[in-house]
Amino acid sequence: MGQEAAVNGDIRSDWTLAEVQALHALPFADLLFRAQSAHRRHFDPNAVQVSTLLSIKTGACPEDCAYCPQSIRYDTGLEREALMEPEAVIARARAARDAGATRFCMGAAWRSPKDRDLDKVERMVRGVRELGLETCATLGMLTPPQARRLRGAGLDYYNHNLDTSPEFYGEVITTRTYQDRLDTLAAVRDAGIRVCCGGILGMGETASDRASFLHALATLDPHPESVPINNLVQVPGTPLAGTAALDPLEFVRIVALARILMPRSHVRLSAGRAQMSDEMQALCFLAGANSIFYGEKLLTTGNPDTASDHALFRRLGIRPEPAAAG
Ligand code: SAM
Ligand code: DTB
Ligand code: SF4
């Protein structure tokens, strides 16, 4: 077997649920060793990709996602804000770049964008790209023509999450189906945009739901280039506020599973970092996480401040990954 085959031989989209469950059940040290070995085959183990988020349209979303502070159905005290002007978004992107981010992700609280909304989003994407940043957007469901428009404006990544297992999904969201999500992911992929797709842990799902969720992600062919793993941020007023917190070591196990199953994808330690200790984050990086959201806010909730992330990177000898060329 040549070098190339040895490196690429572990990229599979035909994982069975039984294989995923067997990995999930490994002793912690065995699981982390396998994850770290996979990580080192494909990545610089001390480099972490750094993305900054901005909410470009906030609140009053018609969907009923039970975790989300932006749904109009739940009283979370959030002020709604109209779609931002492109110039204001570009100014925020410049500040994120100057603070060290290499990717800028624009999020909107929409079920799906209207075609006229995309005029402004296209201007944002062009402007952010001109700053030398990678561009990402998360705007809800897309039709194939909408995905092609975004690609035409230069969008590099689209984030659209499966969120959880197909079995647990109906407990969390009733206003769109799992298949709707898969259809949007296919439209994004077909348009030539790279896919960012992951989900949320700690929503009251079972261990078998978590294995099934990872199985759903790892059987996408090709795998998403970017896999955000969020720990539920419990926002008072949302139906999931008060859910029993997930065992932190189980969160680390799922990061390790994502790394083993999708060895060439960036696995992002996403929402919930503000509630994690440095030690837990260090374990997540050891388990193969190699991307973070950076900057004091996620979309509407808090994230660690940039000074504490710099200190964490220094403590762990981590370097920010340079922006991909092109
Ligand atoms: N409205 C669009 C959509 O749902 O696709 C885009 C924005 S939406 C806020 C993006 C993702 O953020 C969701 O799919 C979910 O995984 C994550 N998210 C939202 N609220 C969260 C929370 N309270 N804790 C953790 N992740 C959350
Ligand atoms: C993702 O998976 N996590 C990000 C991003 N994609 C858009 C969003 C997290 C949101 C957390 C709750 C909030 O700040 O509103
Ligand atoms: Fe709306 Fe997205 Fe929040 Fe669901 S996750 S309520 S679609 S903003």
Side-chain angles (χ1 to χ4, degrees), residues 40-116:
R40 281 169 188 269
R41 276 197 294 281
H42 297 280
F43 288 103
D44 171 347
N46 302 306
V48 167
Q49 191 280 328
V50 171
S51 297
T52 291
L53 275 170
L54 176 68
S55 181
I56 60 169
K57 184 268 165 185
T58 305
C61 181
E63 300 293 275
D64 70 351
C65 312
Y67 47 75
C68 187
Q70 304 204 66
S71 167
I72 199 162
R73 296 163 196 243
Y74 317 130
D75 183 6
T76 61
L78 188 70
E79 295 281 337
R80 64 192 290 174
E81 286 166 35
L83 182 61
M84 289 174 71
E85 291 305 319
E87 296 67 30
V89 171
I90 294 161
R92 296 287 293 269
R94 186 178 294 109
R97 181 196 65 185
D98 293 347
T102 58
R103 190 178 306 166
F104 192 69
C105 178
M106 296 161 272
W110 286 322
R111 170 179 166 81
S112 51
K114 298 192 176 57
D115 285 340
R116 69 165 180 279

Side-chain angles (χ1 to χ4, degrees), residues 67 69 108 110 138 140 160-161 163 176 200 230-233 271 299:
Y67 47 75
W110 286 322
T138 180
H160 198 67
N161 289 339
D163 272 349
R176 70 173 80 162
I200 310 179
N230 298 275
N231 203 6
L232 175 69
V233 178
L299 290 173

